[in-house]
Amino acid sequence: MNNVRLLFNSVSEIAGNEKIGLITLTDESHERLISIVCDWNTAEAIDIRVKHKMDKSNTLPEVMAAMLKARCKDERKYYVCILGLEEEQYKTFIVGEDSAEMYKIKASEAVLLSLVLDIPIYIEGTLMKKQSIKNRSCTDKVSIPINVINSSILQETLERAIQAEDYETASKIHDELERRKRQENKDSKIQD
């Protein structure tokens, strides 16, 4: 498997929706960018760590990291690996370098953990090619692959696009929601 190392780039809110955060990661050459949608609490937790806004030594992630480091005297090494897509979410794991240990974790929380524990993040190479966009560091807008946004957020975004009379965006979102409905119907017929 050909994995690509990812580096933390930024965290921000999605324009027009203060409940949702957006994490961006780049490849090591800073040429390609991948976006991860997250809840605002995770975005804020990452922002606090990146901008060193407060003493974090007694917060849950740092305390758990200290406990883990104290218990693992054998210097076990871990990394984050994004291996695929599953139900509009990145399939993400914490992986033990010298063992077969794999722990499934939300991608956004894996980014937070990587910042706290200082562990690397990788993405499967084919997935990176499919999901990433060219990094345009001079712009304040980022494209997000629509296949990693859950349906309720898409529905809310569709309503906002219609209110803003952005019919091109609304059409694309509508098409994606319809594609998902067809897939759900197809999957339910297979299960019957």
Side-chain angles (χ1 to χ4, degrees), residues 61-108:
E62 280 73 16
V63 170
M64 295 301 292
M67 289 171 58
L68 180 63
K69 287 177 182 176
R71 291 193 69 171
C72 295
K73 296 186 189 311
D74 61 352
E75 301 282 328
R76 275 187 266 179
K77 305 247 192 260
Y78 293 92
Y79 61 93
V80 172
C81 195
I82 303 170
L83 296 175
L85 283 171
E86 186 175 78
E87 297 175 10
E88 298 93 41
Q89 298 287 318
Y90 286 115
K91 229 165 87 174
T92 307
F93 297 88
I94 303 295
V95 181
E97 279 184 7
D98 302 325
S99 67
E101 293 176 284
M102 288 183 73
Y103 303 97
K104 192 169 186 179
I105 186 170
K106 288 174 57 178
S108 57

Side-chain angles (χ1 to χ4, degrees), residues 34-35 37 84-90 127 130-132 144-151 154 176 179-180:
I34 190 161
S35 304
V37 177
L85 283 171
E86 186 175 78
E87 297 175 10
E88 298 93 41
Q89 298 287 318
Y90 286 115
L127 183 63
K130 179 181 174 188
Q131 295 295 116
S132 69
I144 306 168
I146 201 166
N147 61 352
V148 296
I149 302 174
N150 72 39
S151 295
L154 280 179
E176 174 65 13
R179 184 197 65 77
R180 290 180 185 185

Side-chain angles (χ1 to χ4, degrees), residues 114-182:
S114 78
L115 292 170
V116 171
L117 287 173
D118 192 29
I119 60 175
I121 303 172
Y122 296 93
I123 186 169
E124 193 277 319
T126 306
L127 183 63
M128 179 67 174
K129 286 179 186 172
K130 179 181 174 188
Q131 295 295 116
S132 69
I133 60 167
K134 185 173 172 55
N135 185 10
R136 296 184 190 110
S137 56
C138 58
T139 182
D140 61 347
K141 294 186 177 188
V142 174
S143 296
I144 306 168
I146 201 166
N147 61 352
V148 296
I149 302 174
N150 72 39
S151 295
S152 62
I153 293 171
L154 280 179
Q155 185 63 47
E156 185 178 319
T157 306
L158 172 63
E159 292 166 10
R160 288 176 188 222
I162 292 169
Q163 286 175 351
E165 298 180 6
D166 183 356
Y167 299 118
E168 183 179 345
T169 300
S171 175
K172 290 176 184 176
I173 294 169
H174 177 267
D175 291 348
E176 174 65 13
L177 288 168
E178 288 300 313
R179 184 197 65 77
R180 290 180 185 185
K181 285 179 188 173
R182 285 191 304 274

